[in-house]
């Protein structure tokens, strides 16, 4: 492979016959000075992530013209190299539908597509996202439009067709009832350190809950208010231990009258 280490040789002046042998992943942005848009566009997805981002940000490349199957193959190839192609380009809607209709894409790309692709409607996103992915949306509030749509009449109809809906975790009491999850809904009762201890919470968990309540400047909080506070606080959304503990409360709701 050619890594452009030859003195006085640059990619811009490299003989066209040698282009297929370039080690693209090892190139820096400075190595690409003077290279045509055509060459960069054709080979950009072979480069490192920082270089791809720089090329797109500085509009030095154009979106390649590919068939739906070629977009799918490219997404898979980049995924195997730990790259998320959807972070870099806006794909045609037909290509996104094709990718989501494939077993590989449905399992690995649904969340990436829903979060980044402007041509992918919220209805399609809701249909394709798994329950575990929707739990992420519910607690992280990562897709505002999808969260709003989820509890409309049309959104509820789509949700009720999903397998494993009873595994939905981070809904308010009202949201759970709208989805028909009456047996899964938590009563909107107060959560406090004392009540959690009576419910059998471990010392570490109860102490962590106490610190969170202190940070929120409350002595206790209802389940619904806790869900909404986390959804509206990027800082709290980063606390995986807090989210894990909220799930503990849900899973152990039968242990006490706390929930």
């Amino acid at each position: 492979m050619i890594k452009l280490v030859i003195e006085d040789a640059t990619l811009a002046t490299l003989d066209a016959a040698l282009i297929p042998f370039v080690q693209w992943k090892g190139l820096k942005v400075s190595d690409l000075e003077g290279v045509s848009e055509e060459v960069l566009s054709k080979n950009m997805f072979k480069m490192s992530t920082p270089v791809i981002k720089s090329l797109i940000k500085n509009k030095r490349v154009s979106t390649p013209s590919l068939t739906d199957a070629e977009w799918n193959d490219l997404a898979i190839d980049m995924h195997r190299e730990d790259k998320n192609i959807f972070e870099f380009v806006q794909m045609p809607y037909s290509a996104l539908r094709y990718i989501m209709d494939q077993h590989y894409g449905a399992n690995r790309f649904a969340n990436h597509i829903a979060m980044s692709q402007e041509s992918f409607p919220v209805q399609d996103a809701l249909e394709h996202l798994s329950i575990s992915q929707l739990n992420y949306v519910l607690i992280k509030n990562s897709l505002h439009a999808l969260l709003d749509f989820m509890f409309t009449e049309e959104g509820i109809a789509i949700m009720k067709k999903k397998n494993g809906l009873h595994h939905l975790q981070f809904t308010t009491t009202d949201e759970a009832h709208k989805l028909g999850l009456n047996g899964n809904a938590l009563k909107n009762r107060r959560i406090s350190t004392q009540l959690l201890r009576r419910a059998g919470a471990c010392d570490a968990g109860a102490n962590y809950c106490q610190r969170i309540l202190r940070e929120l400047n409350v002595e206790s909080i209802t389940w619904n208010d806790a869900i909404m506070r986390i959804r509206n606080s990027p800082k709290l959304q980063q606390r995986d231990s807090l989210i894990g503990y909220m799930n503990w409360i849900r899973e152990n709701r039968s242990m006490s009258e706390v929930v």
Side-chain angles (χ1 to χ4, degrees):
M1 291 294 184
I2 297 173
K3 196 177 178 181
L4 297 182
V5 295
I6 305 173
E7 188 175 356
D8 297 328
T10 67
L11 184 58
T13 60
L14 195 65
D15 189 285
L18 297 177
I19 291 293
F21 302 100
V22 171
Q23 186 178 329
W24 297 97
K25 188 175 291 186
L27 299 183
K28 304 184 293 293
V29 174
S30 58
D31 295 324
L32 305 178
E33 291 298 324
V35 180
S36 69
E37 178 183 306
E38 179 183 0
V39 171
L40 294 178
S41 299
K42 182 178 180 180
N43 297 285
M44 67 172 167
F45 294 119
K46 302 174 185 176
M47 305 178 199
S48 66
T49 298
V51 172
I52 296 173
K53 289 182 176 180
S54 175
L55 292 174
I56 294 173
K57 179 180 179 182
N58 292 292
K59 300 180 178 180
R60 295 193 58 195
V61 290
S62 57
T63 303
S65 178
L66 304 175
T67 66
D68 295 344
E70 287 172 337
W71 275 119
N72 181 63
D73 292 343
L74 182 57
I76 292 173
D77 289 344
M78 291 190 66
H79 180 262
R80 288 171 176 164
E81 296 180 2
D82 294 323
K83 292 179 184 176
N84 172 19
I85 188 174
F86 307 101
E87 179 183 356
F88 305 124
V89 296
Q90 292 292 317
M91 288 188 191
Y93 174 71
S94 62
L96 297 174
R97 288 293 307 187
Y98 182 92
I99 290 170
M100 291 306 302
D101 287 340
Q102 314 306 310
H103 181 72
Y104 192 101
N107 288 340
R108 295 167 176 82
F109 300 142
N111 197 48
H112 294 312
I113 289 174
M115 294 188 68
S116 65
Q117 297 298 297
E118 297 173 0
S119 66
F120 205 64
V122 289
Q123 296 94 322
D124 287 18
L126 189 58
E127 288 176 359
H128 285 91
L129 288 174
S130 67
I131 294 299
S132 62
Q133 290 167 332
L134 290 174
N135 276 326
Y136 183 90
V137 170
L138 283 167
I139 199 64
K140 299 283 190 175
N141 199 12
S142 54
L143 292 168
H144 304 289
L146 180 62
L147 189 57
D148 290 340
F149 175 75
M150 195 182 301
F151 298 103
T152 64
E153 185 175 342
E154 185 179 355
I156 290 170
I158 294 173
M159 289 291 291
K160 287 183 175 181
K161 295 177 183 178
K162 286 187 170 291
N163 294 325
L165 187 60
H166 61 283
H167 291 300
L168 205 64
Q169 298 170 336
F170 301 114
T171 57
T172 65
T173 304
D174 183 55
E175 289 168 348
H177 285 311
K178 285 182 178 179
L179 296 173
L181 298 174
N182 297 327
N184 198 49
L186 277 76
K187 295 178 181 178
N188 190 32
R189 292 177 176 165
R190 291 200 164 269
I191 302 168
S192 71
T193 307
Q194 294 76 18
L195 290 173
L196 287 173
R197 286 188 184 281
R198 285 185 358 220
C202 63
D203 287 343
N207 290 335
Y208 183 80
C209 178
Q210 186 177 40
R211 291 197 298 273
I212 292 297
L213 292 172
R214 187 184 301 123
E215 181 176 316
L216 296 175
N217 197 29
V218 294
E219 293 183 358
S220 64
I221 193 169
T222 64
W223 171 263
N224 288 351
D225 284 346
I227 289 291
M228 297 310 297
R229 279 180 183 252
I230 295 173
R231 282 184 191 171
N232 293 313
S233 171
K235 181 179 179 181
L236 293 179
Q237 290 163 13
Q238 301 307 312
R239 294 177 179 263
D240 291 336
S241 51
L242 168 61
I243 294 173
Y245 206 65
M246 290 290 289
N247 192 42
W248 181 93
I249 294 170
R250 189 190 69 84
E251 291 179 346
N252 293 275
R253 59 189 180 281
S254 62
M255 294 180 62
S256 82
E257 60 184 15
V258 178
V259 293

